[in-house]
Amino acid sequence: MGSADSKLNFRKAVIQLTTKTQPVEATDDAFWDQFWADTATSVQDVFALVPAAEIRAVREESPSNLATLCYKAVEKLVQGAESGCHSEKEKQIVLNCSRLLTRVLPYIFEDPDWRGFFWSTVPGAGRGAGEDDDENARPLAESLLLAVADLLFCPDFTVQSHRRSTVDSAEDIHSLDSCEYIWEAGVGFAHSPQPNYNHDMNRMELLKLLLTCFSEAMYLPPAPDSSSVNPWVQFFCSTENRHALPLFTSLLNTVCAYDPVGYGIPYNHLLFSDHREPLVEEAAQVLIVSLDHDCATPTVDGTTTGTAMDDADPPGPENLFVNYLSRIHREEDFQFILKGIARLLSNPLLQTYLPNSTKKIQFHQELLVLFWKLCDFNKKFLFFVLKSSDVLDILVPILYFLNDARADQSRVGLMHIGVFILLLLSGERNFGVRLNKPYSVRVPMDIPVFTGTHADLLIVVFHKIITSGHQRLQPLFDCLLTIVVNVSPYLKSLSMVAANKLLHLLEAFSTTWFLFSAAQNHHLVFFLLEVFNNIIQYQFDGNSNLVYAIIRKRSVFHQLANLPTDPPAIHKALQRRRRAPEALSRTSSQEGVSMEGSHPAAPAEPGTLKASLVATPGIEKLTEKSQVSEDGTLRSLEPAPQQNLAECSPASEEPSQAWREQRRLSSASAGGQWSPTSEWVLSWKSKLPLQTIMRLLQVLVPQVEKICIDKGLTDESEILRFLQHGTLVGLLPVPHPILIRKYQANSGTAVWFRTYMWGVIYLRNVDPPVWYDTDVKLFEIQRV
């Protein structure tokens, strides 16, 4: 039968289904087979031929027909899995049912009355009549998930058959050891099967169905208690699924082994379509969703236990995907994973050298979530990453994405995850040490040219984000500066460009109107002073550029020390601010009105995630303080009692209404709004850690001035040479202990990650548009 005929028949069946008001019997195979038996429709056809309005109409007007359609489609998948799909006809039926379920499931999830449907057993529909007949009483969801798992290891359908003989000796699907059929070499598996286009395509369709099953999470509003377990994921990743291990390994290896450059031949992808990429994307998405599991239950002593093995809170079976991920430990496996993720994250950067020469991947956000999960669930992996200089191959792409996305409101989620990953890495000493490696690869970025290290690159990019990003990034400022504070004790020599950027930030953040216009703005000044103190105390010798920049900008420190605290001065500063232009980059600094390469923040496009995601927790909720003691070990500090949290948490406001709006409100004292008082300014001014810098200025400024007068100097190189050889031994206060603010998981970030991950998956699945125009509750989509 021609493809046009089969589409016509399929369409007729859909129309019959929507017009029949009488329930169609489940036994009426002639009717139901029209949907899958003799049609050759692609998934795109199914989406076109089954319109949303008709699915909703069947759901409302003839619910039993919709229920029977789902039940029969699952039954066909179960039969296909049982028989091993040997004939072409069976394969076609399985694919058709899979596409149909992918189309229909989101409309079942969006209706609260239907949500339990797949978790019920279908009474009297070919199942054992006896209530106590356990085997027959499997909920529909479980039958569906187990069938999909079996089908993903079905010889000659989704994996290469190992038997070379006739169909008679076909591998029995039940005795088959799926661990021998892992899709790709890598972690725990050495054999790389021949690539097979059809197998890849069939896997992809089944993974899309799996992802659609898991997407019930999109239809529930974000829950502040992170215990909301996704029953689909929970069952699929439990011991009930005998393929859990080979499937986890197949997904991980498929992602990490993928090389979009092909065989190194430029422009290769223009000649051959790459059928692997859609499979790799789908695998990455299924993998990160399967790993969406808050396994960190704090124990009594405040550390976290990664397992739910004990009879602690999480009931039911543990997530095996998380379990396997946390147990990977061989160096060569870590190397394989890290190299793979770094190669894929760097791919969009390669693009810019020889445009179109290599295939540009689009799934970097899923890769960042995967990298996050690896570091979060497997501490050995995190330490492996930090001890190899390959961590810089993760850092550079992240800085590239941050710089690239800073002015685009629809990519605020990407900004957050990039910053969270860097915050996590910066809590470890090795990261700071690694940053001293010279930065020589020139990634195309619109940032000032400098000669220096990866630390310089990080500071220059952060400065750019703060001064020329859009206002919704304000809640991230504390995070960005915390990262710089964490690495600062280890930075051996900052370039002049980076030193000037840090002082420009201090200058911008210490203007009186900025300090007085919101309750927590002074925190930013504290962070920067801590950076300068760390470098002066621990890395004075190599940092003449920074010392010189501090001397040149000494007036900023004197102004801070003499900050006015009387009400008239506060009032006057706020008046001045109302006349001042809004953005930070418009400070009176010599940096000029517009930062290099900045373009104004673009509003979010229609069809993108509303930037309001979920409010990000403030930095004091994201981190816990640890002290580095003499021998280099960390010890946790008791958290200081917070003053009124609501007023000092930057995220107590929705990030979406951040910063100008928040500034405007907080400076208006009307209606009980917060307004600065003398007592408040005095309370933190007295704590400004200025002693070290003031002592440095007191010793060095007269000496530098003397050189200038003696030699009639205007030449900085002479002064820098003097500072390089200078020493302040014995002249500075006793070095303070190094304070590290380590990332601390909490329910706020868990909810944030879940929302972000599903938002990315929603937007990336456009062909076919699986969730488009359904009533998603987890996040908002920007409408036209």
Side-chain angles (χ1 to χ4, degrees), residues 253-265:
N253 291 355
T254 298
V255 173
C256 295
Y258 175 57
D259 185 357
V261 179
Y263 301 105
I265 309 164

Side-chain angles (χ1 to χ4, degrees), residues 182-194:
I182 287 169
W183 302 350
E184 188 58 70
V187 175
F189 192 68
H191 167 68
S192 196
Q194 268 308 101

Side-chain angles (χ1 to χ4, degrees), residues 353-368:
Y353 290 124
L354 278 176
N356 303 325
S357 63
T358 57
K359 192 178 170 55
K360 184 164 185 176
I361 63 153
Q362 302 292 333
F363 55 98
H364 50 272
Q365 301 194 85
E366 292 93 321
L367 288 164
L368 290 173

Side-chain angles (χ1 to χ4, degrees), residues 74-85 90 94 147:
V74 172
E75 187 180 58
K76 288 291 173 201
L77 289 180
V78 171
Q79 284 168 8
E82 290 285 322
S83 72
C85 274
E90 282 180 291
V94 162

Side-chain angles (χ1 to χ4, degrees), residues 2-20:
S3 150
D5 294 344
S6 72
K7 278 185 205 170
L8 190 63
N9 290 351
F10 180 75
R11 181 68 193 129
K12 279 185 189 152
V14 174
I15 292 170
Q16 284 177 311
L17 188 69
T18 48
T19 48
K20 282 184 192 293

Side-chain angles (χ1 to χ4, degrees), residues 311-505:
D311 305 325
D313 240 348
E318 200 198 348
N319 180 319
L320 289 179
F321 277 40
V322 173
N323 195 336
Y324 297 142
L325 183 77
S326 66
R327 296 216 309 251
I328 298 172
H329 61 277
R330 294 189 341 200
E331 293 262 323
E332 56 268 42
D333 289 342
F334 287 158
Q335 190 64 30
F336 165 74
I337 294 171
L338 181 58
K339 282 270 189 261
I341 292 178
R343 176 176 59 243
L344 291 171
L345 284 177
S346 308
N347 162 274
L349 288 58
L350 297 172
Q351 273 306 306
T352 19
Y353 290 124
L354 278 176
N356 303 325
S357 63
T358 57
K359 192 178 170 55
K360 184 164 185 176
I361 63 153
Q362 302 292 333
F363 55 98
H364 50 272
Q365 301 194 85
E366 292 93 321
L367 288 164
L368 290 173
V369 175
L370 177 58
F371 181 76
W372 172 267
K373 301 254 176 224
L374 279 155
C375 293
D376 200 23
F377 293 146
N378 190 323
K379 287 296 170 256
K380 287 198 180 91
F381 175 76
L382 175 63
F383 296 130
F384 174 84
V385 170
L386 287 162
K387 76 167 198 246
S388 82
S389 60
D390 291 348
V391 66
L392 301 175
D393 297 335
I394 300 283
L395 168 75
V396 172
I398 288 178
L399 291 175
Y400 171 86
F401 295 132
L402 290 178
N403 183 56
D404 192 50
R406 70 180 191 279
D408 178 353
Q409 300 210 12
S410 59
R411 289 156 76 197
V412 68
L414 171 62
M415 300 292 296
H416 276 76
I417 188 167
V419 172
F420 285 157
I421 290 174
L422 297 182
L423 180 64
L424 180 72
L425 296 175
S426 76
E428 307 299 333
R429 174 181 176 274
N430 262 350
F431 182 64
V433 174
R434 293 276 161 244
L435 290 180
N436 289 308
K437 189 175 172 183
Y439 172 67
S440 47
V441 282
R442 288 278 167 242
V443 172
M445 283 197 239
D446 54 338
I447 54 172
V449 180
F450 65 89
T451 305
T453 64
H454 283 75
D456 294 310
L457 176 68
L458 177 124
I459 287 168
V460 167
V461 170
F462 282 11
H463 172 269
K464 191 100 193 249
I465 293 167
I466 290 172
T467 54
S468 66
H470 56 79
Q471 73 247 28
R472 288 187 174 161
L473 298 179
Q474 162 93 34
L476 282 178
F477 288 3
D478 309 43
C479 256
L480 291 166
L481 292 185
T482 298
I483 294 164
V484 181
V485 172
N486 281 348
V487 300
S488 59
Y490 312 108
L491 304 183
K492 294 197 179 313
S493 67
L494 286 187
S495 69
M496 191 57 95
V497 171
N500 284 332
K501 296 295 177 203
L502 286 176
L503 279 141
H504 172 235
L505 288 179

Side-chain angles (χ1 to χ4, degrees), residues 459 488 491 493-503 528 531-536 539-540 542-553 557 696 720 723:
I459 287 168
S488 59
L491 304 183
S493 67
L494 286 187
S495 69
M496 191 57 95
V497 171
N500 284 332
K501 296 295 177 203
L502 286 176
L503 279 141
L528 283 163
V531 170
F532 298 142
N533 287 338
N534 280 341
I535 294 179
I536 292 166
Q539 300 290 349
F540 179 80
N543 274 297
S544 51
N545 286 328
L546 181 69
V547 174
Y548 179 60
I550 288 174
I551 291 173
R552 276 187 47 224
K553 290 278 181 193
F557 299 97
L696 172 140
L720 283 167
L723 292 172

